[in-house]
Amino acid sequence: MSSAAMKLAVVAALISAAAVGARACLDVGFYDTTCPTAETLIQQVVAAAFRNDSGVAPAMIRMHFHDCFVRGCDGSVLIDTVPGSTTRAEKDAAPNNPSLRFFDVIDRAKSAVEAACPGVVSCADVVAFMARDGVVLSGGLGYQVPAGRRDGRTSLEDDALNFLPPPTSTAADLVANFTAKNLTAEDMVVLSGAHTIGVSHCDSFTNRIYNFPNTTDGIDPSLSKAYAFLLKGICPPNSNQTFPTTTTFMDILTPTKFDNRYYVGLTNNLGLFQSDAALLTDAALKATVNSFVRSEATFRLKFARAMIKMGQIGVLSGTQGEIRLNCRVVNPVNVTATAADDHHLTSSSSSSSDEVAAS
């Protein structure tokens, strides 16, 4: 992309951020006065972790998605299950465990901003900033993140099971799931492009390479046979039980680079999940895929816009929720605000029995 085109892309992303942020009561530069070094401190933590393991970048993008699609972008995916509780938190649900990683990096980022500005920056905003940084570090287009999210006090395993789209989703399932979050079918295809980086565990796709219904060879006909045999070498039968931590790249063409090769792979039957292949089963969705095959610049710009838009899902702002001091544990009900605001950071007088919250 030329420098002029890049400038236009960034300007367009900023305009989109301002427009969407206004609707969600979030603002670009939200911490300019209360914690002006917040984004820099967070970026430094992400960059340091990325130098050690580039898998941090896709992990932060996935974390943000898995947070926003459950209870809204409220940091609830970060809350630990309370020891001894019969109710598990989101992070322990099957779609998140062991899929979500690098919670320790988020802890470090939160500790950095807490040291600089105690009680000011929410965990939900930390995740949103880290996702953006992950996009940039892997080669995607940078964008400004509207901030001002507050943290939720509830995290339930069942919510993750009910609201996160599974890798076996059909095109209709995906469109309905994203529509319920006020995202369009195009947004869904764009955000699916996050699969251009990162890895997946075997249990998310072995149904496509072993005993696929109505086939003689057990392989999903929408999957390249050569790719299927490669995947079988990585994930043998019953690998979900025998090798539960085995992973493979989601984009075999350029697995660590944020580009449009995910879509190129799709059109060559190299999509890893059924939900990837599903994007080619609907004419409108397929047309969007093909547009990104033709223009990586278009994909990069629309991905930045879609991430900004996704970051507005179900946000808590103003006096809602709290600014969690430890991202893994909700604040005690008697914790009061510091520089963030002038009111007590409490939800209800007591947590209900079906909430995962600190005692």
Side-chain angles (χ1 to χ4, degrees), residues 53-129:
D53 187 338
S54 63
V56 166
M60 292 304 102
I61 299 170
R62 183 179 299 179
M63 189 78 70
H64 190 34
F65 175 84
H66 282 226
D67 183 35
C68 293
F69 258 64
V70 178
R71 302 186 67 88
C73 310
D74 68 345
S76 57
V77 72
L78 306 178
I79 297 175
D80 287 344
T81 297
V82 175
S85 173
T86 57
T87 304
R88 300 201 303 176
E90 290 173 33
K91 64 165 55 172
D92 292 321
N96 290 333
N97 185 13
S99 174
L100 298 185
R101 305 185 295 152
F102 297 109
F103 289 97
D104 59 316
V105 179
I106 296 172
D107 291 339
R108 292 201 293 274
K110 174 63 170 174
S111 294
V113 294
E114 281 298 308
C117 321
V120 173
V121 182
S122 70
C123 297
D125 278 343
V126 169
V127 172
F129 290 137

Side-chain angles (χ1 to χ4, degrees), residues 30-45:
F30 181 82
Y31 296 110
D32 283 355
T33 301
T34 56
C35 194
T37 60
E39 292 191 51
T40 298
L41 291 170
I42 292 167
Q43 193 278 334
Q44 289 172 346
V45 171

Side-chain angles (χ1 to χ4, degrees), residues 18-350:
V20 178
R23 291 196 297 271
C25 301
L26 304 180
D27 295 295
V28 170
F30 181 82
Y31 296 110
D32 283 355
T33 301
T34 56
C35 194
T37 60
E39 292 191 51
T40 298
L41 291 170
I42 292 167
Q43 193 278 334
Q44 289 172 346
V45 171
V46 180
F50 182 83
R51 286 193 293 272
N52 184 59
D53 187 338
S54 63
V56 166
M60 292 304 102
I61 299 170
R62 183 179 299 179
M63 189 78 70
H64 190 34
F65 175 84
H66 282 226
D67 183 35
C68 293
F69 258 64
V70 178
R71 302 186 67 88
C73 310
D74 68 345
S76 57
V77 72
L78 306 178
I79 297 175
D80 287 344
T81 297
V82 175
S85 173
T86 57
T87 304
R88 300 201 303 176
E90 290 173 33
K91 64 165 55 172
D92 292 321
N96 290 333
N97 185 13
S99 174
L100 298 185
R101 305 185 295 152
F102 297 109
F103 289 97
D104 59 316
V105 179
I106 296 172
D107 291 339
R108 292 201 293 274
K110 174 63 170 174
S111 294
V113 294
E114 281 298 308
C117 321
V120 173
V121 182
S122 70
C123 297
D125 278 343
V126 169
V127 172
F129 290 137
M130 294 179 82
R132 182 270 314 277
D133 295 339
V135 171
V136 174
L137 285 167
S138 10
L141 181 66
Y143 55 93
Q144 290 193 316
V145 177
R149 298 166 188 81
R150 305 271 291 189
D151 296 322
R153 292 178 55 85
T154 301
S155 184
L156 301 172
E157 174 186 25
D158 284 349
D159 286 342
L161 294 171
N162 291 333
F163 295 115
L164 290 172
T168 54
S169 297
T170 65
D173 293 334
L174 291 168
V175 171
N177 191 290
F178 277 66
T179 299
K181 304 298 182 183
N182 294 318
L183 297 173
T184 66
E186 181 182 79
D187 292 330
M188 182 270 291
V189 177
V190 173
L191 291 170
S192 294
H195 294 172
T196 190
I197 52 176
V199 299
S200 171
H201 290 81
C202 296
D203 63 356
S204 293
F205 58 84
T206 47
N207 66 301
R208 302 188 72 198
I209 58 177
Y210 297 110
N211 302 314
F212 194 81
N214 303 316
T215 61
T216 56
D217 59 6
I219 298 173
D220 183 344
S222 66
L223 183 66
S224 160
K225 291 292 189 290
Y227 188 28
F229 286 120
L230 173 65
L231 293 174
K232 285 186 175 185
I234 298 170
C235 301
N238 300 317
S239 58
N240 300 344
Q241 289 75 42
T242 54
F243 303 103
T245 60
T246 298
T247 61
T248 188
F249 289 116
M250 293 187 289
D251 173 2
I252 65 169
L253 300 180
T254 52
T256 61
K257 183 180 178 182
F258 193 95
D259 57 21
N260 69 337
R261 298 304 188 212
Y262 160 76
Y263 299 103
V264 174
L266 278 189
T267 59
N268 287 279
N269 296 327
L270 298 176
L272 185 60
F273 310 125
Q274 272 186 272
S275 57
D276 291 327
L279 302 185
L280 301 180
T281 63
D282 174 272
L285 302 182
K286 185 176 182 179
T288 302
V289 168
N290 288 332
S291 72
F292 297 151
V293 171
R294 292 191 299 270
S295 174
E296 182 174 307
T298 299
F299 162 61
R300 285 158 53 87
L301 176 57
K302 289 194 173 184
F303 188 86
R305 289 175 171 170
M307 286 291 285
I308 294 166
K309 189 175 178 182
M310 184 186 76
Q312 323 299 316
I313 297 174
V315 297
L316 303 175
S317 60
T319 61
Q320 299 171 315
E322 63 184 17
I323 304 297
R324 212 177 300 145
L325 304 182
N326 177 344
C327 291
R328 295 174 180 264
V329 183
V330 301
N331 295 340
V333 293
N334 61 343
V335 170
T336 56
T338 57
D341 50 36
D342 297 321
H343 65 279
H344 290 290
L345 296 181
T346 58
S347 53
S348 58
S349 59
S350 61

